[in-house]
Amino acid sequence: MRTTKRLLVVLAWASLGQAFVGCGGDVTVTDVPAPPSAISDPDLARLLSRRTARVRSSPASAEAWGQLALAYDAHAFPERALMSYERAAALDPERFDWPYLHATVLTATDQVAALEWLDQAVGLRDDYAPLFTRRGLGRHAVGELVGARADLERAVELDDRLVAAHLGLAKVALDEGRDEEARAHAAQAVQLGPGSDEPYAVLALAQQRLG
């Protein structure tokens, strides 16, 4: 069973002065942090200011928190993006994209915790190929070959044009000693994404093994 490493996120949340008080199902934000002060781009500063103001005026709005998270995510403020995605997910637990996007940010620092968020997203939507691709790649990264194969095969079933899914299946097949299958998926990845070097490298390795 995977264990979520939440301490760093919780500490960062506290350092930003975030305090929530729930009463009768309502959520009140007593101190939403201001946007980072060292922003040289005036357009970005205005965007973050507007979205922060919206959260302050509607602290129980998952959409407001999600839009704030998207802005932080797009402009490389991962800690703030994680906190805002997490709040959006808590306020609207039936919407799959907030846990999914939370996981895409978290993957860079904590793959195990990201997988738990992806599990949550899959529980809400089971027909989105990029979601299964990301979880399959994450499972492969932590050595869960059976789960990785199942997810990546599901991704290809949903959309057989995804380079990352075919490439992931090629890597899983190599790890399983299925070199012919690895070559087939790597060749498909090369065909679908000729501008990327990695599919060629995986294809070359599969061909080398096959002799």
Side-chain angles (χ1 to χ4, degrees):
M1 179 177 176
R2 296 186 293 265
T3 301
T4 308
K5 301 173 184 176
R6 305 300 302 149
L7 181 57
L8 291 178
V9 172
V10 171
L11 290 174
W13 182 270
S15 73
L16 288 172
Q18 201 78 13
F20 296 92
V21 179
C23 181
D26 296 328
V27 180
T28 301
V29 177
T30 59
D31 186 14
V32 179
S37 57
I39 297 178
S40 58
D41 183 345
D43 291 332
L44 175 57
R46 283 191 290 270
L47 172 65
L48 293 176
S49 179
R50 287 196 304 271
R51 295 197 179 181
T52 298
R54 184 181 174 193
V55 168
R56 285 175 172 162
S57 65
S58 303
S61 168
E63 183 66 22
W65 281 105
Q67 291 301 317
L68 180 60
L70 287 168
Y72 280 133
D73 190 355
H75 297 283
F77 292 98
E79 291 180 352
R80 289 171 181 258
L82 285 171
M83 296 166 200
S84 301
Y85 281 137
E86 186 166 351
R87 195 62 206 155
L91 288 166
D92 188 357
E94 299 302 315
R95 184 165 172 177
F96 101 98
D97 46 350
W98 302 140
Y100 172 69
L101 291 168
H102 187 285
T104 66
V105 178
L106 195 54
T107 295
T109 56
D110 192 340
Q111 183 65 73
V112 174
L115 283 168
E116 291 191 351
W117 284 92
L118 290 170
D119 289 345
Q120 181 180 338
V122 168
L124 296 168
R125 181 172 178 181
D126 64 359
D127 62 349
Y128 187 53
L131 171 55
F132 283 95
T133 300
R134 185 170 289 276
R135 192 173 70 167
L137 295 175
R139 284 176 161 176
H140 180 251
V142 299
E144 297 180 9
L145 295 184
V146 174
R149 172 175 285 278
D151 278 345
L152 293 166
E153 287 179 346
R154 175 62 175 157
V156 169
E157 177 186 345
L158 291 167
D159 185 353
D160 64 1
R161 301 164 298 172
L162 290 176
V163 175
H166 283 288
L167 184 58
L169 278 170
K171 292 178 178 180
V172 170
L174 283 175
D175 287 347
E176 295 173 332
R178 302 180 183 186
D179 298 333
E180 187 62 54
E181 180 187 346
R183 179 168 66 179
H185 280 295
Q188 185 69 8
V190 166
Q191 182 178 350
L192 291 168
S196 174
D197 292 335
E198 191 175 11
Y200 289 98
V202 175
L203 178 58
L205 178 56
Q207 290 176 329
Q208 181 182 20
R209 287 190 181 183
L210 288 166

